[in-house]
Amino acid sequence: MNQSTDLETLQIYPQRRFKVYQHRQLDKIAPVQGLPESLRFAMRVVASVLPFRVNEYVINDLIDWQRVPEDPIFRLTFPQAKMLRPAAFERMAQLLRSGPSNEQVQQLAAQIRAQMNPHPAGQMSLNVPKQQGESLDGMQHKYKETLLFFPSQGQYCHSYCTFCFRWAQFVGRSLRFNSNDVAALHGYLSSHPEITDLLMTGGDPMVMRTEKLAQYLTPLLDSPSLAHVRSVRFGTKALTYWPYRFVTDEDADELLRLFERLVRAGKHVTVMAHLNHWREMETPIFEEAVRRIRATGANIRSQGPLLANINDSAEDWAQMWRRQVQLGIVPYYFFIERDTGPKHYFEVPLHRAYEIYRDAISQVSGLARTARGPSMSAGPGKVEIQGICEVAGEKVFVLRFLQARNPAWTYRPFFARYDTQAYWLDDLKPAFGEAQFFWQQEYEAMCAGSG
Ligand SMILES: *Cc1c(COP(=O)(O)O)cnc(C)c1O
Ligand code: SF4
């Protein structure tokens, strides 16, 4: 087999040092210094509340500074005034103009964050599994087959996305949940034979050293008590925020060998790549990262939300999916942006989301029609908008669960009243004058039971 780690590659792509800028270094970013002061002040205001972290590769190789502030990758990573509600923005702007103490800024920031629904969809209580009465904080086990694991060393990213639904864990310590317990992971997996999929997530697990990742994963290679875990997924945005992770970083080769070993041990390995725009997929180093990952026998699937101001056109999605298929990436999920953080800046009404999805799908070949959605990851499950139509004289959304908290709900169609002002599952009302959706009573009982 062709070694996936040949030296030729290293000659073409010299090593690059990872350099990152955070809130306090905003003004040190060279192209930012060329922007108007009003724009820079607005960025400082928003970055006092929401996470900000961006690395030099994103700044120099992905953002087109000629097109700022409209550039989609700029909006994906740099704070924009409208990401705060006007009242909140004004309060923070006034405070900053008054020469405040760090403590005053933190205090106001905490107040504003608390109004931005930091923990959507019962993340903190309902999904955290228990073992002998103890909460296992670094895991989520919501759907029977799949365990989400949040390694403690992977609770940040190479850059932060302005839309991220995990934003709350990137600011302030008390809000995080994670685990560094290798033994807890293996213990939980061993005692749950129904789990076939392990999903390593974060933040971004690819910020971790390969050596650390290996501590979690090598026991899967040969431990009989973990043989039921057939798939390992890595939720990551490193492919576009830091492709060097898979090409020239010191332990890049070691990482690829870990993938290879998992594949050879009979595991399905998938890199679940967060991809938001075709513009992220144009650099040679990105292509090389994709090529090298696939050379190990691992797959790459893609997922990402529909985002106003960034990718809310069918053409962008069609172009993105075509590019993915060309490179061997399988389009997987088309998400609706979650109801948290600066959602008002990114949200697209459900009927528009459905139109964009359908319009995009209709422009691509069957190979790209593997993208499922539009899907809302809500409390009761992943709800897909299957269509908009008229039934018995009433205009309705046709919905179904792609994943459900109770597996029995999966793929059962249900109907909601058509509503142009609906942005999320909570905004929807049952159609045909019914009082409740079929799953609602049972779901509410689950919520009450979890205390
Ligand atoms: C989406 C999701 C999964 C994975 O679902 P698949 O349909 O298998 O991709 C697992 N756990 C949670 C909490 C999720 O939101
Ligand atoms: S890479 Fe993923 S987890 Fe990290 S900020 Fe972006 S969306 Fe959030």
Side-chain angles (χ1 to χ4, degrees), residues 140 142-143 146 148 233 332-333 372 382 403:
Q140 278 184 33
K142 180 170 177 178
Y143 308 125
T146 306
L148 260 56
R233 311 189 210 178
Y332 189 61
Y333 268 129
R372 297 186 296 168
K382 279 192 172 68
Q403 284 288 3

Short mmCIF file of all heavy atoms in Angstrom, two decimals, residues 140 142-143 146 148 233 332-333 372 382 403, ligand 1:
data_model
loop_
_atom_site.label_atom_id
_atom_site.label_comp_id
_atom_site.label_asym_id
_atom_site.label_seq_id
_atom_site.Cartn_x
_atom_site.Cartn_y
_atom_site.Cartn_z
N GLN A 140 -22.22 12.73 26.07
CA GLN A 140 -23.64 12.87 25.81
C GLN A 140 -24.11 11.60 25.13
O GLN A 140 -23.53 11.18 24.13
CB GLN A 140 -23.92 14.05 24.89
CG GLN A 140 -23.96 15.39 25.58
CD GLN A 140 -24.34 16.49 24.60
OE1 GLN A 140 -25.11 16.27 23.66
NE2 GLN A 140 -23.79 17.66 24.81
N LYS A 142 -27.50 10.62 23.74
CA LYS A 142 -28.88 11.01 23.45
C LYS A 142 -29.54 9.98 22.55
O LYS A 142 -30.69 9.63 22.75
CB LYS A 142 -28.85 12.39 22.78
CG LYS A 142 -30.22 12.94 22.41
CD LYS A 142 -30.08 14.42 21.99
CE LYS A 142 -31.39 15.01 21.52
NZ LYS A 142 -31.24 16.44 21.18
N TYR A 143 -28.82 9.53 21.54
CA TYR A 143 -29.35 8.54 20.61
C TYR A 143 -28.65 7.21 20.88
O TYR A 143 -27.43 7.18 21.04
CB TYR A 143 -29.14 8.99 19.16
CG TYR A 143 -29.68 10.39 18.92
CD1 TYR A 143 -28.88 11.40 18.41
CD2 TYR A 143 -30.99 10.70 19.28
CE1 TYR A 143 -29.38 12.68 18.21
CE2 TYR A 143 -31.49 11.97 19.10
CZ TYR A 143 -30.68 12.97 18.56
OH TYR A 143 -31.17 14.24 18.39
N THR A 146 -25.15 6.07 19.46
CA THR A 146 -24.00 6.96 19.34
C THR A 146 -23.67 7.67 20.64
O THR A 146 -24.53 8.31 21.24
CB THR A 146 -24.26 8.02 18.24
OG1 THR A 146 -24.62 7.33 17.05
CG2 THR A 146 -23.03 8.87 17.98
N LEU A 148 -21.46 10.67 22.24
CA LEU A 148 -20.63 11.85 22.01
C LEU A 148 -19.64 11.95 23.15
O LEU A 148 -20.04 11.89 24.31
CB LEU A 148 -21.49 13.11 22.02
CG LEU A 148 -21.91 13.71 20.67
CD1 LEU A 148 -22.62 12.69 19.84
CD2 LEU A 148 -22.77 14.94 20.88
N ARG A 233 -15.99 8.55 14.82
CA ARG A 233 -16.09 9.79 14.06
C ARG A 233 -15.35 10.89 14.81
O ARG A 233 -15.30 10.89 16.03
CB ARG A 233 -17.55 10.24 13.93
CG ARG A 233 -18.51 9.18 13.47
CD ARG A 233 -19.84 9.85 13.19
NE ARG A 233 -20.96 8.96 13.42
CZ ARG A 233 -22.23 9.32 13.27
NH1 ARG A 233 -22.54 10.55 12.91
NH2 ARG A 233 -23.19 8.44 13.50
N TYR A 332 -23.36 15.33 4.24
CA TYR A 332 -24.06 14.52 5.24
C TYR A 332 -25.23 15.26 5.89
O TYR A 332 -26.35 14.79 5.87
CB TYR A 332 -23.04 14.07 6.29
CG TYR A 332 -23.55 13.05 7.27
CD1 TYR A 332 -24.00 11.80 6.85
CD2 TYR A 332 -23.57 13.32 8.64
CE1 TYR A 332 -24.47 10.86 7.75
CE2 TYR A 332 -24.03 12.37 9.55
CZ TYR A 332 -24.48 11.15 9.11
OH TYR A 332 -24.95 10.24 10.01
N TYR A 333 -24.97 16.40 6.51
CA TYR A 333 -26.06 17.12 7.17
C TYR A 333 -26.14 18.58 6.73
O TYR A 333 -25.10 19.26 6.62
CB TYR A 333 -25.91 17.11 8.70
CG TYR A 333 -26.60 15.99 9.41
CD1 TYR A 333 -25.93 15.18 10.32
CD2 TYR A 333 -27.95 15.72 9.18
CE1 TYR A 333 -26.57 14.14 10.99
CE2 TYR A 333 -28.60 14.68 9.84
CZ TYR A 333 -27.91 13.90 10.74
OH TYR A 333 -28.54 12.89 11.39
N ARG A 372 -28.55 15.39 4.21
CA ARG A 372 -29.88 15.29 4.81
C ARG A 372 -30.25 16.60 5.48
O ARG A 372 -29.42 17.27 6.08
CB ARG A 372 -29.91 14.17 5.84
CG ARG A 372 -29.66 12.83 5.22
CD ARG A 372 -29.83 11.71 6.20
NE ARG A 372 -28.85 11.77 7.28
CZ ARG A 372 -28.94 11.04 8.38
NH1 ARG A 372 -29.97 10.26 8.58
NH2 ARG A 372 -28.00 11.11 9.30
N LYS A 382 -33.47 15.07 16.11
CA LYS A 382 -33.15 15.82 14.88
C LYS A 382 -34.39 15.79 14.00
O LYS A 382 -34.78 14.73 13.50
CB LYS A 382 -31.99 15.16 14.16
CG LYS A 382 -30.63 15.52 14.71
CD LYS A 382 -29.54 15.06 13.73
CE LYS A 382 -28.18 15.57 14.12
NZ LYS A 382 -27.67 14.99 15.38
N GLN A 403 -33.32 11.52 13.86
CA GLN A 403 -32.85 10.87 15.09
C GLN A 403 -33.85 11.28 16.16
O GLN A 403 -34.29 12.43 16.17
CB GLN A 403 -31.47 11.38 15.49
CG GLN A 403 -30.32 10.83 14.69
CD GLN A 403 -30.02 9.38 14.99
OE1 GLN A 403 -30.71 8.74 15.77
NE2 GLN A 403 -29.01 8.86 14.34
C1 LIG B 1 -26.49 14.27 15.36
C2 LIG B 1 -26.17 13.63 16.63
C3 LIG B 1 -25.64 12.33 16.66
C4 LIG B 1 -25.33 11.55 15.42
O1 LIG B 1 -26.46 11.26 14.64
P1 LIG B 1 -26.29 10.54 13.25
O2 LIG B 1 -27.62 10.62 12.58
O3 LIG B 1 -25.87 9.13 13.55
O4 LIG B 1 -25.23 11.27 12.52
C5 LIG B 1 -25.39 11.77 17.90
N1 LIG B 1 -25.66 12.43 19.05
C6 LIG B 1 -26.19 13.66 19.05
C7 LIG B 1 -26.47 14.34 20.36
C8 LIG B 1 -26.44 14.31 17.84
O5 LIG B 1 -26.95 15.55 17.86
#
